């Protein structure tokens, strides 16, 4: 396994997997961390333009799409967080390269995901950026 820095993810694991016909397949598997320290102006602008309040109903639908398998490690955490904070306000934004960001300002918690590629908790810098975008200080 090799590690490499690649774009908006801090690191990728490069996994070499032998296939049945003896050739080597390369698969990139992202770590669960989105790099907000190096957020480009383009991504920041996209977040500012797309940030909006998302309803609990929309979150539930999104959760079903993100975690269709009942045994997915994030599924229970995602839906429990929504249930425990059903009266809170949630925000959703999308970067210029398709990274979705969910944030609950009331609890100062959130997550990011790139459909079909990776997901992870929103770290302190990402939460700060979302607060600024929501308050209009971008």
């Amino acid at each position: 396994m090799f590690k490499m820095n690649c774009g908006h993810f801090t690191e990728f694991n490069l996994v070499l997997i032998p296939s049945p016909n003896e050739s080597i397949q390369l698969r990139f598997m992202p770590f669960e961390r989105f790099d907000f320290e190096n957020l480009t102006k383009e991504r920041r602008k996209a977040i500012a333009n797309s940030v909006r309040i998302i309803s609990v109903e929309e979150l539930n639908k999104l959760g079903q799409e993100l975690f269709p398998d009942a045994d997915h490690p994030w599924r229970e955490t995602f839906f429990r967080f929504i249930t425990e904070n059903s009266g809170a306000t949630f925000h959703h934004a999308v970067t210029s390269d398709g990274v979705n960001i969910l944030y609950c300002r009331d609890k100062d918690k959130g997550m990011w995901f790139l459909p079909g590629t990776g997901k992870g908790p929103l770290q302190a810098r990402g939460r700060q950026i979302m607060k600024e975008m929501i308050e209009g200080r971008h």
Side-chain angles (χ1 to χ4, degrees):
M1 186 180 331
F2 303 94
K3 290 184 181 180
M4 60 192 299
N5 190 329
C6 232
H8 58 267
F9 293 103
T10 352
E11 292 180 338
F12 273 82
N13 284 333
L14 176 61
V15 182
L16 302 175
I17 302 171
S19 68
N21 63 4
E22 300 298 323
S23 65
I24 300 289
Q25 296 177 357
L26 298 179
R27 292 200 183 151
F28 291 94
M29 300 179 69
F31 280 147
E32 293 188 347
R33 188 168 168 207
F34 183 74
D35 185 7
F36 275 96
E37 296 303 321
N38 297 308
L39 196 64
T40 66
K41 288 181 183 179
E42 183 180 334
R43 288 187 188 127
R44 185 178 283 271
K45 183 177 177 182
I47 292 170
N49 289 335
S50 67
V51 69
R52 67 178 183 85
I53 293 174
I54 185 170
S55 71
V56 171
E57 292 78 23
E58 289 177 285
L59 282 170
N60 283 319
K61 182 179 177 187
L62 185 60
Q64 294 294 337
E65 293 170 11
L66 282 174
F67 315 112
D69 299 323
D71 62 345
H72 192 287
W74 275 75
R75 184 181 174 92
E76 181 184 346
T77 303
F78 182 85
F79 286 107
R80 183 177 58 240
F81 184 69
I82 294 170
T83 301
E84 290 173 353
N85 299 290
S86 60
T89 301
F90 293 89
H91 288 83
H92 177 247
V94 183
T95 66
S96 56
D97 49 352
V99 176
N100 286 256
I101 303 165
L102 296 174
Y103 177 68
C104 177
R105 187 174 175 188
D106 300 349
K107 298 292 182 177
D108 192 32
K109 290 187 178 182
M111 72 175 287
W112 65 266
F113 63 92
L114 186 58
T117 303
K119 57 189 81 45
L122 204 54
Q123 301 298 325
R125 181 70 180 132
R127 295 190 314 266
Q128 181 61 40
I129 289 170
M130 285 299 289
K131 284 181 203 172
E132 291 171 8
M133 296 297 167
I134 292 164
E135 294 170 0
R137 298 182 306 170
H138 40 87

